[in-house]
Amino acid sequence: IIMSEIVSPFLIKVPSPPNHTENKCQSDSLNVIELSLHTPPKSLVRDLNLVFGSSDNLYLVPTTQPSLCGSLLSWNDETAKEKDRLLEVFFFFCNELLSPIVEQVNNDTAMEGGRRLDSDWIDPCSGLPMKTQTQVIYDEVASHSALLKYTVSSAGGCKVMLHDKWGEGGYPATLILSGTEDQVR
């Protein structure tokens, strides 16, 4: 177990979003997302403070999706379509599946007079959070490396995460939760 890890990596199946991008690599209508839950290690606290103003009560949920086309390093139409598809699945997961859960937790918490659970997620294309207004970029590759101990390589001047099962075919994206540990679990 990694020191900051609260919940070890596990896989969930997510339905394809409506009107999702299709490509020749598509195998079925279900998508797999690997996720885990972590408290921020000291190596990420500075970045979290810059992006979110504070790292207090933050929990990180690194997610990784396997590319159905293999490596994501190629510069071609199929790889671009696959990256679009993976991004759509991640946003669908955050907006349509995670947001209602957060809302339900907050409804339950409000009845008990407790602290709200908040969520945000990083746009993997820009490195910017979707809800927090900032121009500070969150480094997905460094985060996944720090949290999950993935190897980092370089390709054309870009840092690339090498997933332990999917290698260059892992698509990283991060959810940020703010609340109590009980709410986050």
Side-chain angles (χ1 to χ4, degrees):
I1 290 181
I2 298 168
M3 194 168 6
S4 68
E5 190 173 78
I6 296 173
V7 176
S8 297
F10 63 96
L11 296 175
I12 61 169
K13 291 186 177 181
V14 177
S16 292
N19 305 315
H20 70 284
T21 302
E22 296 206 19
N23 61 40
K24 68 180 182 184
C25 304
Q26 191 96 15
S27 63
D28 60 31
S29 61
L30 286 179
N31 306 284
V32 174
I33 298 178
E34 178 185 76
L35 53 96
S36 54
L37 176 65
H38 302 260
T39 56
K42 289 181 182 177
S43 62
L44 295 178
V45 167
R46 179 181 174 275
D47 289 346
L48 291 167
N49 287 337
L50 289 172
V51 175
F52 297 102
S54 172
S55 59
D56 295 343
N57 300 308
L58 289 187
Y59 295 86
L60 304 174
V61 182
T63 73
T64 310
Q65 295 177 74
S67 165
L68 299 176
C69 296
S71 175
L72 293 170
L73 295 182
S74 301
W75 292 96
N76 60 47
D77 288 343
E78 283 309 312
T79 302
K81 286 179 185 174
E82 177 66 351
K83 288 178 183 177
D84 288 345
R85 184 188 71 78
L86 294 166
L87 180 65
E88 289 171 4
V89 169
F90 177 67
F91 281 172
F92 179 76
F93 170 72
C94 294
N95 286 309
E96 304 300 324
L97 303 176
L98 175 69
S99 290
I101 293 170
V102 169
E103 187 175 320
Q104 182 59 52
V105 168
N106 286 332
N107 288 340
D108 294 346
T109 302
M111 292 172 58
E112 300 166 9
R115 186 181 192 289
R116 284 184 49 81
L117 174 64
D118 291 314
S119 65
D120 203 343
W121 46 91
I122 306 299
D123 176 352
C125 295
S126 68
L128 296 172
M130 295 303 296
K131 295 180 179 179
T132 303
Q133 297 297 312
T134 184
Q135 294 302 310
V136 181
I137 293 172
Y138 185 77
D139 187 341
E140 298 275 13
V141 174
S143 175
H144 274 64
S145 176
L147 296 171
L148 300 165
K149 306 302 179 208
Y150 291 151
T151 302
V152 176
S153 184
S154 182
C158 294
K159 290 189 299 182
V160 177
M161 174 194 86
L162 301 176
H163 189 275
D164 59 351
K165 289 181 271 202
W166 307 315
E168 298 168 347
Y171 187 80
T174 305
L175 297 166
I176 313 292
L177 299 172
S178 174
T180 67
E181 186 172 332
D182 286 343
Q183 288 173 315
V184 170
R185 284 178 176 264

